[in-house]
Amino acid sequence: SAVISQKPSRDICQRGTSLTIQCQVDSQVTMMFWYRQQPGQSLTLIATANQGSEATYESGFVIDKFPISRPNLTFSTLTVSNMSPEDSSIYLCSVLEREGGDTQYFGPGTRLTVL
Amino acid sequence: AQSVTQLDSQVPVFEEAPVELRCNYSSSVSVYLFWYVQYPNQGLQLLLKYLSGSTLVKGINGFEAEFNKSQTSFHLRKPSVHISDTAEYFCAVSISFDYKLSFGAGTTVTVRA
């Protein structure tokens, strides 16, 4: 499976600021996704990062709050804007691997704490 | 839209005992089914998946799951657990053509000696 890295691995931020999370894959992939895992909860899909076009957001998530870039087939960023303590979560990127079956593999996650 | 229900939020089990984690889904179209594991302070790791074919699928670390279409279930089993199996287990489903994953709430498995 693809090797996925995320930066930063964790951060502590002040409310009202923004943080950009990077996701790097070691091979070209067609689809990349961003998920959020709030404390003690399951994962929720934020958006699909589309290469060369605007991301597709799920219900409850908007571009102004979570702008996403995907400049090529191996890299994506998620920005958490104007943060509040409710944004404290683990943010994970995932990639879809078609070879061997349509399966998503996840990065190690970015643990964000907003004070 | 599809949804996933994990019927047990916490499952305590003794070492070398069997374990079964229950997962039910709802969808009006065909789905792909997955089990992921999250060890303490680690990322998500794929345990096994069902895409098509044999309804009994085997995964890593001795886990297996059975897809039951009539009961819309995908229960995970292991005949003998180890302390190292202590983790959070997530069942997930995607519609075959859009690949977006919907996750269950998770089941915390705690293995005791």
Side-chain angles (χ1 to χ4, degrees), chain A residues 1 7 9-10 13 15-16 18-19 27 35 38 42 45 48 51-52 57 62 70 78 82-83 86 91 96 108 110:
Chain A
S1 62
K7 289 181 183 179
S9 59
R10 58 179 63 225
C13 301
R15 69 170 67 212
S18 298
L19 176 72
S27 59
Y35 290 81
Q38 293 178 297
S42 187
L45 178 64
T48 304
Q51 196 265 328
Y57 290 84
V62 295
R70 190 172 174 198
L78 167 75
N82 188 24
M83 289 184 284
E86 292 71 35
Y91 292 86
L96 180 71
T110 296

PDB file of all heavy atoms in Angstrom, chain A residues 1 7 9-10 13 15-16 18-19 27 35 38 42 45 48 51-52 57 62 70 78 82-83 86 91 96 108 110:
ATOM      1  N   SER A   1       0.827  -1.198   0.000  1.00  0.00           N
ATOM      2  CA  SER A   1       0.000   0.000   0.000  1.00  0.00           C
ATOM      3  C   SER A   1       0.870   1.260   0.000  1.00  0.00           C
ATOM      4  O   SER A   1       2.058   1.199   0.325  1.00  0.00           O
ATOM      5  CB  SER A   1      -0.908  -0.001   1.225  1.00  0.00           C
ATOM      6  OG  SER A   1      -0.170   0.024   2.415  1.00  0.00           O
ATOM      7  N   LYS A   7       1.971  16.290   7.987  1.00  0.00           N
ATOM      8  CA  LYS A   7       2.665  17.277   8.802  1.00  0.00           C
ATOM      9  C   LYS A   7       1.698  18.390   9.172  1.00  0.00           C
ATOM     10  O   LYS A   7       0.937  18.836   8.293  1.00  0.00           O
ATOM     11  CB  LYS A   7       3.828  17.899   8.008  1.00  0.00           C
ATOM     12  CG  LYS A   7       4.990  17.016   7.757  1.00  0.00           C
ATOM     13  CD  LYS A   7       6.051  17.791   6.993  1.00  0.00           C
ATOM     14  CE  LYS A   7       7.240  16.928   6.651  1.00  0.00           C
ATOM     15  NZ  LYS A   7       8.263  17.680   5.881  1.00  0.00           N
ATOM     16  N   SER A   9       2.448  16.439  12.958  1.00  0.00           N
ATOM     17  CA  SER A   9       1.820  15.285  13.599  1.00  0.00           C
ATOM     18  C   SER A   9       0.883  15.749  14.716  1.00  0.00           C
ATOM     19  O   SER A   9      -0.103  15.077  15.022  1.00  0.00           O
ATOM     20  CB  SER A   9       2.877  14.344  14.165  1.00  0.00           C
ATOM     21  OG  SER A   9       3.684  15.025  15.109  1.00  0.00           O
ATOM     22  N   ARG A  10       1.222  16.866  15.324  1.00  0.00           N
ATOM     23  CA  ARG A  10       0.358  17.453  16.337  1.00  0.00           C
ATOM     24  C   ARG A  10       0.666  18.936  16.462  1.00  0.00           C
ATOM     25  O   ARG A  10       1.741  19.374  16.083  1.00  0.00           O
ATOM     26  CB  ARG A  10       0.499  16.769  17.682  1.00  0.00           C
ATOM     27  CG  ARG A  10       1.904  16.779  18.262  1.00  0.00           C
ATOM     28  CD  ARG A  10       1.939  16.105  19.623  1.00  0.00           C
ATOM     29  NE  ARG A  10       1.581  14.702  19.538  1.00  0.00           N
ATOM     30  CZ  ARG A  10       0.740  14.103  20.386  1.00  0.00           C
ATOM     31  NH1 ARG A  10       0.175  14.780  21.358  1.00  0.00           N
ATOM     32  NH2 ARG A  10       0.478  12.821  20.263  1.00  0.00           N
ATOM     33  N   CYS A  13      -2.887  25.217  19.119  1.00  0.00           N
ATOM     34  CA  CYS A  13      -3.109  26.518  18.493  1.00  0.00           C
ATOM     35  C   CYS A  13      -4.051  27.368  19.331  1.00  0.00           C
ATOM     36  O   CYS A  13      -4.852  26.851  20.115  1.00  0.00           O
ATOM     37  CB  CYS A  13      -3.702  26.337  17.097  1.00  0.00           C
ATOM     38  SG  CYS A  13      -2.677  25.367  15.982  1.00  0.00           S
ATOM     39  N   ARG A  15      -7.219  30.024  19.642  1.00  0.00           N
ATOM     40  CA  ARG A  15      -8.467  30.256  18.918  1.00  0.00           C
ATOM     41  C   ARG A  15      -8.330  31.480  18.013  1.00  0.00           C
ATOM     42  O   ARG A  15      -7.604  32.413  18.314  1.00  0.00           O
ATOM     43  CB  ARG A  15      -9.635  30.426  19.877  1.00  0.00           C
ATOM     44  CG  ARG A  15      -9.618  31.696  20.709  1.00  0.00           C
ATOM     45  CD  ARG A  15     -10.943  31.883  21.435  1.00  0.00           C
ATOM     46  NE  ARG A  15     -11.148  30.861  22.446  1.00  0.00           N
ATOM     47  CZ  ARG A  15     -12.336  30.385  22.779  1.00  0.00           C
ATOM     48  NH1 ARG A  15     -13.427  30.819  22.141  1.00  0.00           N
ATOM     49  NH2 ARG A  15     -12.463  29.486  23.727  1.00  0.00           N
ATOM     50  N   GLY A  16      -9.008  31.418  16.886  1.00  0.00           N
ATOM     51  CA  GLY A  16      -8.977  32.516  15.928  1.00  0.00           C
ATOM     52  C   GLY A  16      -7.869  32.399  14.889  1.00  0.00           C
ATOM     53  O   GLY A  16      -7.891  33.119  13.888  1.00  0.00           O
ATOM     54  N   SER A  18      -5.318  29.967  12.191  1.00  0.00           N
ATOM     55  CA  SER A  18      -5.528  28.926  11.184  1.00  0.00           C
ATOM     56  C   SER A  18      -4.325  27.999  11.168  1.00  0.00           C
ATOM     57  O   SER A  18      -3.200  28.405  11.465  1.00  0.00           O
ATOM     58  CB  SER A  18      -5.732  29.549   9.796  1.00  0.00           C
ATOM     59  OG  SER A  18      -6.877  30.372   9.775  1.00  0.00           O
ATOM     60  N   LEU A  19      -4.555  26.770  10.784  1.00  0.00           N
ATOM     61  CA  LEU A  19      -3.493  25.770  10.667  1.00  0.00           C
ATOM     62  C   LEU A  19      -3.650  25.031   9.352  1.00  0.00           C
ATOM     63  O   LEU A  19      -4.762  24.607   9.006  1.00  0.00           O
ATOM     64  CB  LEU A  19      -3.556  24.768  11.822  1.00  0.00           C
ATOM     65  CG  LEU A  19      -2.538  23.624  11.742  1.00  0.00           C
ATOM     66  CD1 LEU A  19      -1.133  24.157  12.042  1.00  0.00           C
ATOM     67  CD2 LEU A  19      -2.888  22.492  12.692  1.00  0.00           C
ATOM     68  N   SER A  27       3.191   7.780  -3.975  1.00  0.00           N
ATOM     69  CA  SER A  27       2.846   7.367  -5.333  1.00  0.00           C
ATOM     70  C   SER A  27       1.628   8.171  -5.786  1.00  0.00           C
ATOM     71  O   SER A  27       0.912   8.735  -4.960  1.00  0.00           O
ATOM     72  CB  SER A  27       2.554   5.872  -5.401  1.00  0.00           C
ATOM     73  OG  SER A  27       1.483   5.548  -4.525  1.00  0.00           O
ATOM     74  N   TYR A  35     -10.592  13.394   6.633  1.00  0.00           N
ATOM     75  CA  TYR A  35     -11.533  12.985   7.662  1.00  0.00           C
ATOM     76  C   TYR A  35     -11.199  13.709   8.965  1.00  0.00           C
ATOM     77  O   TYR A  35     -10.065  14.126   9.199  1.00  0.00           O
ATOM     78  CB  TYR A  35     -11.459  11.475   7.919  1.00  0.00           C
ATOM     79  CG  TYR A  35     -11.993  10.611   6.802  1.00  0.00           C
ATOM     80  CD1 TYR A  35     -11.211  10.316   5.689  1.00  0.00           C
ATOM     81  CD2 TYR A  35     -13.273  10.063   6.875  1.00  0.00           C
ATOM     82  CE1 TYR A  35     -11.701   9.509   4.669  1.00  0.00           C
ATOM     83  CE2 TYR A  35     -13.764   9.251   5.858  1.00  0.00           C
ATOM     84  CZ  TYR A  35     -12.973   8.983   4.767  1.00  0.00           C
ATOM     85  OH  TYR A  35     -13.458   8.183   3.759  1.00  0.00           O
ATOM     86  N   GLN A  38     -13.217  13.508  16.067  1.00  0.00           N
ATOM     87  CA  GLN A  38     -13.323  14.296  17.288  1.00  0.00           C
ATOM     88  C   GLN A  38     -13.062  13.399  18.493  1.00  0.00           C
ATOM     89  O   GLN A  38     -13.225  12.167  18.406  1.00  0.00           O
ATOM     90  CB  GLN A  38     -14.693  14.972  17.347  1.00  0.00           C
ATOM     91  CG  GLN A  38     -14.847  16.026  16.262  1.00  0.00           C
ATOM     92  CD  GLN A  38     -16.205  16.684  16.258  1.00  0.00           C
ATOM     93  OE1 GLN A  38     -17.219  16.038  16.037  1.00  0.00           O
ATOM     94  NE2 GLN A  38     -16.230  17.988  16.501  1.00  0.00           N
ATOM     95  N   SER A  42     -16.027   8.648  16.284  1.00  0.00           N
ATOM     96  CA  SER A  42     -15.626   7.968  15.065  1.00  0.00           C
ATOM     97  C   SER A  42     -15.144   8.983  14.027  1.00  0.00           C
ATOM     98  O   SER A  42     -15.041  10.174  14.307  1.00  0.00           O
ATOM     99  CB  SER A  42     -16.805   7.168  14.531  1.00  0.00           C
ATOM    100  OG  SER A  42     -16.399   6.373  13.450  1.00  0.00           O
ATOM    101  N   LEU A  45     -16.191  12.078   7.286  1.00  0.00           N
ATOM    102  CA  LEU A  45     -15.592  12.596   6.065  1.00  0.00           C
ATOM    103  C   LEU A  45     -15.839  14.083   5.946  1.00  0.00           C
ATOM    104  O   LEU A  45     -16.990  14.533   6.055  1.00  0.00           O
ATOM    105  CB  LEU A  45     -16.180  11.871   4.853  1.00  0.00           C
ATOM    106  CG  LEU A  45     -15.694  12.311   3.480  1.00  0.00           C
ATOM    107  CD1 LEU A  45     -14.198  12.038   3.316  1.00  0.00           C
ATOM    108  CD2 LEU A  45     -16.479  11.601   2.378  1.00  0.00           C
ATOM    109  N   THR A  48     -13.686  15.427  -0.289  1.00  0.00           N
ATOM    110  CA  THR A  48     -12.848  14.746  -1.277  1.00  0.00           C
ATOM    111  C   THR A  48     -11.980  15.803  -1.931  1.00  0.00           C
ATOM    112  O   THR A  48     -12.499  16.814  -2.436  1.00  0.00           O
ATOM    113  CB  THR A  48     -13.714  14.053  -2.337  1.00  0.00           C
ATOM    114  OG1 THR A  48     -14.612  13.158  -1.682  1.00  0.00           O
ATOM    115  CG2 THR A  48     -12.857  13.296  -3.332  1.00  0.00           C
ATOM    116  N   GLN A  51      -8.032  16.783  -7.721  1.00  0.00           N
ATOM    117  CA  GLN A  51      -6.862  17.364  -8.364  1.00  0.00           C
ATOM    118  C   GLN A  51      -7.289  18.277  -9.499  1.00  0.00           C
ATOM    119  O   GLN A  51      -8.019  17.855 -10.389  1.00  0.00           O
ATOM    120  CB  GLN A  51      -5.943  16.254  -8.873  1.00  0.00           C
ATOM    121  CG  GLN A  51      -4.536  16.720  -9.212  1.00  0.00           C
ATOM    122  CD  GLN A  51      -4.365  17.059 -10.677  1.00  0.00           C
ATOM    123  OE1 GLN A  51      -5.007  16.458 -11.515  1.00  0.00           O
ATOM    124  NE2 GLN A  51      -3.509  17.999 -10.985  1.00  0.00           N
ATOM    125  N   GLY A  52      -6.883  19.528  -9.435  1.00  0.00           N
ATOM    126  CA  GLY A  52      -7.172  20.468 -10.498  1.00  0.00           C
ATOM    127  C   GLY A  52      -8.526  21.127 -10.419  1.00  0.00           C
ATOM    128  O   GLY A  52      -8.884  21.910 -11.309  1.00  0.00           O
ATOM    129  N   TYR A  57     -17.273  18.952  -0.710  1.00  0.00           N
ATOM    130  CA  TYR A  57     -17.477  18.931   0.732  1.00  0.00           C
ATOM    131  C   TYR A  57     -18.733  18.149   1.111  1.00  0.00           C
ATOM    132  O   TYR A  57     -19.740  18.174   0.400  1.00  0.00           O
ATOM    133  CB  TYR A  57     -17.570  20.363   1.277  1.00  0.00           C
ATOM    134  CG  TYR A  57     -16.246  21.076   1.224  1.00  0.00           C
ATOM    135  CD1 TYR A  57     -15.817  21.719   0.062  1.00  0.00           C
ATOM    136  CD2 TYR A  57     -15.382  21.072   2.316  1.00  0.00           C
ATOM    137  CE1 TYR A  57     -14.589  22.343  -0.010  1.00  0.00           C
ATOM    138  CE2 TYR A  57     -14.150  21.700   2.268  1.00  0.00           C
ATOM    139  CZ  TYR A  57     -13.757  22.326   1.098  1.00  0.00           C
ATOM    140  OH  TYR A  57     -12.518  22.942   1.025  1.00  0.00           O
ATOM    141  N   VAL A  62     -17.781  23.371   5.117  1.00  0.00           N
ATOM    142  CA  VAL A  62     -17.773  24.390   4.071  1.00  0.00           C
ATOM    143  C   VAL A  62     -16.355  24.811   3.739  1.00  0.00           C
ATOM    144  O   VAL A  62     -15.445  24.731   4.574  1.00  0.00           O
ATOM    145  CB  VAL A  62     -18.618  25.628   4.479  1.00  0.00           C
ATOM    146  CG1 VAL A  62     -20.079  25.244   4.617  1.00  0.00           C
ATOM    147  CG2 VAL A  62     -18.089  26.241   5.772  1.00  0.00           C
ATOM    148  N   ARG A  70      -5.222  20.667  -3.773  1.00  0.00           N
ATOM    149  CA  ARG A  70      -4.616  19.435  -4.290  1.00  0.00           C
ATOM    150  C   ARG A  70      -3.940  19.776  -5.612  1.00  0.00           C
ATOM    151  O   ARG A  70      -4.508  19.558  -6.682  1.00  0.00           O
ATOM    152  CB  ARG A  70      -5.646  18.328  -4.464  1.00  0.00           C
ATOM    153  CG  ARG A  70      -4.920  17.042  -4.757  1.00  0.00           C
ATOM    154  CD  ARG A  70      -5.764  15.838  -4.762  1.00  0.00           C
ATOM    155  NE  ARG A  70      -4.937  14.709  -5.190  1.00  0.00           N
ATOM    156  CZ  ARG A  70      -5.414  13.573  -5.639  1.00  0.00           C
ATOM    157  NH1 ARG A  70      -6.716  13.404  -5.740  1.00  0.00           N
ATOM    158  NH2 ARG A  70      -4.594  12.628  -5.996  1.00  0.00           N
ATOM    159  N   LEU A  78      -5.043  20.613   3.926  1.00  0.00           N
ATOM    160  CA  LEU A  78      -6.308  20.996   4.553  1.00  0.00           C
ATOM    161  C   LEU A  78      -5.986  22.122   5.523  1.00  0.00           C
ATOM    162  O   LEU A  78      -5.082  21.989   6.357  1.00  0.00           O
ATOM    163  CB  LEU A  78      -6.908  19.812   5.309  1.00  0.00           C
ATOM    164  CG  LEU A  78      -8.065  20.134   6.268  1.00  0.00           C
ATOM    165  CD1 LEU A  78      -9.345  20.406   5.472  1.00  0.00           C
ATOM    166  CD2 LEU A  78      -8.293  19.002   7.257  1.00  0.00           C
ATOM    167  N   ASN A  82      -9.833  30.021  11.299  1.00  0.00           N
ATOM    168  CA  ASN A  82     -10.528  30.688  12.406  1.00  0.00           C
ATOM    169  C   ASN A  82     -10.931  29.672  13.470  1.00  0.00           C
ATOM    170  O   ASN A  82     -12.115  29.498  13.779  1.00  0.00           O
ATOM    171  CB  ASN A  82     -11.743  31.442  11.881  1.00  0.00           C
ATOM    172  CG  ASN A  82     -12.389  32.317  12.938  1.00  0.00           C
ATOM    173  OD1 ASN A  82     -11.740  32.728  13.902  1.00  0.00           O
ATOM    174  ND2 ASN A  82     -13.666  32.587  12.774  1.00  0.00           N
ATOM    175  N   MET A  83      -9.937  29.008  14.016  1.00  0.00           N
ATOM    176  CA  MET A  83     -10.195  27.855  14.882  1.00  0.00           C
ATOM    177  C   MET A  83     -10.849  28.218  16.205  1.00  0.00           C
ATOM    178  O   MET A  83     -10.626  29.300  16.777  1.00  0.00           O
ATOM    179  CB  MET A  83      -8.886  27.122  15.147  1.00  0.00           C
ATOM    180  CG  MET A  83      -8.369  26.380  13.926  1.00  0.00           C
ATOM    181  SD  MET A  83      -6.892  25.439  14.274  1.00  0.00           S
ATOM    182  CE  MET A  83      -5.664  26.737  14.328  1.00  0.00           C
ATOM    183  N   GLU A  86     -13.810  23.767  19.542  1.00  0.00           N
ATOM    184  CA  GLU A  86     -14.592  22.676  18.949  1.00  0.00           C
ATOM    185  C   GLU A  86     -13.880  22.030  17.761  1.00  0.00           C
ATOM    186  O   GLU A  86     -14.258  20.942  17.318  1.00  0.00           O
ATOM    187  CB  GLU A  86     -15.968  23.179  18.493  1.00  0.00           C
ATOM    188  CG  GLU A  86     -16.895  23.590  19.632  1.00  0.00           C
ATOM    189  CD  GLU A  86     -16.470  24.862  20.318  1.00  0.00           C
ATOM    190  OE1 GLU A  86     -15.946  25.784  19.633  1.00  0.00           O
ATOM    191  OE2 GLU A  86     -16.641  24.963  21.553  1.00  0.00           O
ATOM    192  N   TYR A  91      -7.107  15.015  12.524  1.00  0.00           N
ATOM    193  CA  TYR A  91      -7.438  15.150  11.116  1.00  0.00           C
ATOM    194  C   TYR A  91      -6.599  14.145  10.324  1.00  0.00           C
ATOM    195  O   TYR A  91      -5.381  14.083  10.474  1.00  0.00           O
ATOM    196  CB  TYR A  91      -7.175  16.582  10.646  1.00  0.00           C
ATOM    197  CG  TYR A  91      -8.133  17.570  11.283  1.00  0.00           C
ATOM    198  CD1 TYR A  91      -7.851  18.135  12.522  1.00  0.00           C
ATOM    199  CD2 TYR A  91      -9.333  17.894  10.663  1.00  0.00           C
ATOM    200  CE1 TYR A  91      -8.744  19.011  13.130  1.00  0.00           C
ATOM    201  CE2 TYR A  91     -10.226  18.768  11.262  1.00  0.00           C
ATOM    202  CZ  TYR A  91      -9.932  19.319  12.501  1.00  0.00           C
ATOM    203  OH  TYR A  91     -10.818  20.182  13.103  1.00  0.00           O
ATOM    204  N   LEU A  96      -7.199   6.529  -2.004  1.00  0.00           N
ATOM    205  CA  LEU A  96      -7.861   5.358  -2.560  1.00  0.00           C
ATOM    206  C   LEU A  96      -6.884   4.618  -3.452  1.00  0.00           C
ATOM    207  O   LEU A  96      -6.336   5.202  -4.397  1.00  0.00           O
ATOM    208  CB  LEU A  96      -9.079   5.766  -3.379  1.00  0.00           C
ATOM    209  CG  LEU A  96      -9.850   4.605  -4.014  1.00  0.00           C
ATOM    210  CD1 LEU A  96     -10.597   3.818  -2.948  1.00  0.00           C
ATOM    211  CD2 LEU A  96     -10.807   5.100  -5.087  1.00  0.00           C
ATOM    212  N   PRO A 108      -1.123   8.947   9.223  1.00  0.00           N
ATOM    213  CA  PRO A 108      -1.021   8.795  10.682  1.00  0.00           C
ATOM    214  C   PRO A 108      -1.861   9.797  11.466  1.00  0.00           C
ATOM    215  O   PRO A 108      -2.067   9.626  12.663  1.00  0.00           O
ATOM    216  CB  PRO A 108       0.466   9.011  10.954  1.00  0.00           C
ATOM    217  CG  PRO A 108       0.930   9.844   9.810  1.00  0.00           C
ATOM    218  CD  PRO A 108       0.119   9.416   8.636  1.00  0.00           C
ATOM    219  N   THR A 110      -3.148  14.096  12.199  1.00  0.00           N
ATOM    220  CA  THR A 110      -2.637  15.309  12.843  1.00  0.00           C
ATOM    221  C   THR A 110      -3.535  15.605  14.029  1.00  0.00           C
ATOM    222  O   THR A 110      -4.734  15.828  13.859  1.00  0.00           O
ATOM    223  CB  THR A 110      -2.646  16.498  11.867  1.00  0.00           C
ATOM    224  OG1 THR A 110      -1.746  16.237  10.794  1.00  0.00           O
ATOM    225  CG2 THR A 110      -2.252  17.789  12.588  1.00  0.00           C
TER     226      THR A 110
END
